[in-house]
Amino acid sequence: MFGLIGHSTSFEDARKKAQELGYEHIAEGDLDVWCSAPPQLVEHVEVKSPTGKSIEGAYIDSCFVPEMLGRFKTARRKVLNAMELAQKKDINITALGGFTSIIFENFNLLQHQHVRNTTLDWERFTTGNTHTAWVICRQLEINAPLIGVDIKKARVAVVGATGDIGSAVCRWLSTRTGVAELLLVARQQKPLIELQKELKGGRIMPLEEALPEADVVVWVASMPKTMEIKVDTLKSPCLMIDGGYPKNLDSKLDGSGVHVLKGGIVQFCKDIGWNMMQLAEMDKPQREMFACFAEAMLLEFEECHTNFSWGRNNITLEKMDFIGKASVKHGFSTLNLQLQAALA
Ligand code: NDP
């Protein structure tokens, strides 16, 4: 059985969803009430691969909402409680979706293996970042040529280059895809210099200098909502792959030669018959999902019950090959630009 741990995109959405599901006592509560609400297993689902293999899974809502990010102890408790529930339900492999993997890493939850009388078994969890990185690279390879960008001549800015996903994307683009140049963007210089050494290339640049030079921009950092981008300084055409969470580039930039694509999203080959992706504002919630969630499904299909994506900067090209092959085999494809809209 696979599991997905997620959360609503806002407190308001969470309350609406709780009302729909009949959890009135929580729905009417204020943020303090939600802070003490336990995680809920809200949905069971069966997924059938084109290979004929069927797997079962469950969606656990952590009852975390982004408004709790500033409450360090609450955020930590929400993620650990949801993981404990997944383990108690004997789920083999569970993906940490949305902010939950970021909370896990940034708040160093590895130090908190004991939740009440449960010892969390890390092997049962994955961040899903390997599949996310592979999907983003494939989105670049498929969609850049569609808008007239020659990959071999392209300059690609990776915003969040030193992160878990960003560094994997850089490794793949420099060796497998063979882009002309990588522009490495992040705030801290030391990890950037280390990455540059590892890649034996790439130019370290501040964001505002990288953007006007880039044919493709891969966003794999959670950027502040207040971030301003001067559209008239961007190249035309320019492909923006918005892999961060939450996604907030579309409304600011789409149009006039700049094409924004939701990054790290995959589509299953048929309707799944679940409700959980409505929470995540997918265009086709019956088929589309975060690549990190799909990773848990793929590991279950492949009976690979291990914490496949774990810790920071451990994603290898071999792991990306494995999960990419499984993704295609089990009926997933990357979300791509709509050709007509892209060429308009
Ligand atoms: P990490 O925390 O490992 O990396 C974040 C990166 O962004 C670092 O390089 C960090 O470097 C950089 N960064 C952060 N803030 C800024 C800023 N203001 N300006 C420039 N660089 C910045 O995160 P992950 O790699 O795990 O995840 C990256 C993104 O992908 C997240 O937004 C996450 O939510 C999303 N994601 C999407 C998934 C999907 O399925 N679609 C799955 C998992 C994650 P520094 O601190 O030095 O600036």
Side-chain angles (χ1 to χ4, degrees), residues 320-341:
M320 289 171 78
D321 281 332
F322 171 85
I323 207 75
K325 217 169 145 190
S327 187
V328 174
K329 173 177 160 190
H330 294 295
F332 290 91
S333 55
T334 61
L335 185 73
N336 296 319
L337 290 170
Q338 296 305 305
L339 196 57
Q340 277 163 352

Side-chain angles (χ1 to χ4, degrees), residues 158 160-163 166-171 174 182-186 189-202 204 313:
V158 180
T162 52
S167 58
V169 166
C170 289
R171 265 173 228 127
S174 64
L182 285 175
L183 312 178
L184 310 175
V185 181
Q189 287 304 299
K190 193 166 167 266
L192 278 168
I193 293 166
E194 282 164 8
L195 178 69
Q196 194 182 39
K197 269 193 201 144
E198 183 204 319
L199 298 171
K200 298 188 178 68
I204 297 170
N313 295 2

Side-chain angles (χ1 to χ4, degrees), residues 103-121:
I103 293 167
F104 190 92
E105 293 290 345
N106 290 0
F107 297 177
N108 201 9
L109 297 198
L110 271 179
Q111 290 176 336
H112 297 269
Q113 196 165 6
H114 304 288
V115 185
R116 287 172 287 273
N117 55 0
T118 306
T119 302
L120 291 176
D121 175 5

Side-chain angles (χ1 to χ4, degrees), residues 81-299:
N81 286 349
M83 292 173 83
E84 183 201 25
L85 179 60
Q87 186 162 319
K88 281 194 164 162
K89 296 286 176 189
D90 207 21
I91 298 174
N92 297 319
I93 186 73
T94 298
L96 303 176
F99 279 119
T100 65
S101 69
I102 296 178
I103 293 167
F104 190 92
E105 293 290 345
N106 290 0
F107 297 177
N108 201 9
L109 297 198
L110 271 179
Q111 290 176 336
H112 297 269
Q113 196 165 6
H114 304 288
V115 185
R116 287 172 287 273
N117 55 0
T118 306
T119 302
L120 291 176
D121 175 5
W122 303 134
E123 293 271 312
R124 289 172 180 266
F125 300 95
T126 184
T127 61
N129 283 353
T130 310
H131 191 223
T132 303
W134 180 83
V135 167
I136 288 172
C137 293
R138 289 298 298 140
Q139 286 181 303
L140 185 152
E141 292 167 352
I142 294 167
N143 293 281
L146 292 182
I147 62 159
V149 170
D150 179 347
I151 292 177
K152 300 285 174 197
K153 293 182 185 159
R155 283 204 176 108
V156 180
V158 180
V159 184
T162 52
D164 194 37
I165 299 172
S167 58
V169 166
C170 289
R171 265 173 228 127
W172 182 281
L173 294 182
S174 64
T175 52
R176 294 291 170 87
T177 319
V179 298
E181 189 176 29
L182 285 175
L183 312 178
L184 310 175
V185 181
R187 292 164 304 181
Q188 300 168 72
Q189 287 304 299
K190 193 166 167 266
L192 278 168
I193 293 166
E194 282 164 8
L195 178 69
Q196 194 182 39
K197 269 193 201 144
E198 183 204 319
L199 298 171
K200 298 188 178 68
R203 218 170 359 133
I204 297 170
M205 297 177 84
L207 179 63
E208 59 283 6
E209 287 176 28
L211 290 181
E213 287 203 35
D215 302 291
V216 180
V217 185
V218 176
W219 297 87
V220 274
S222 301
M223 301 303 287
K225 283 208 161 122
T226 48
M227 174 189 61
E228 287 290 333
I229 297 174
K230 292 184 189 126
V231 185
D232 53 355
T233 64
L234 299 175
K235 277 193 164 179
S236 178
C238 177
L239 176 63
M240 297 258 174
I241 303 181
D242 185 4
Y245 181 87
K247 307 207 175 299
N248 53 11
L249 287 182
D250 307 51
S251 53
K252 285 179 186 153
L253 298 171
D254 221 353
S256 62
V258 180
H259 302 276
V260 178
L261 177 60
K262 280 189 191 169
I265 306 287
V266 286
Q267 192 164 308
F268 191 58
C269 53
K270 53 183 177 245
D271 286 359
I272 294 182
W274 62 3
N275 295 312
M276 56 189 87
M277 282 302 129
Q278 268 148 19
L279 285 174
E281 296 169 341
M282 295 288 164
D283 291 338
K284 293 183 192 154
Q286 281 303 322
R287 291 176 180 222
E288 287 174 12
M289 70 193 85
F290 295 111
C292 60
F293 281 175
E295 181 170 306
M297 295 182 185
L298 294 170
L299 295 175

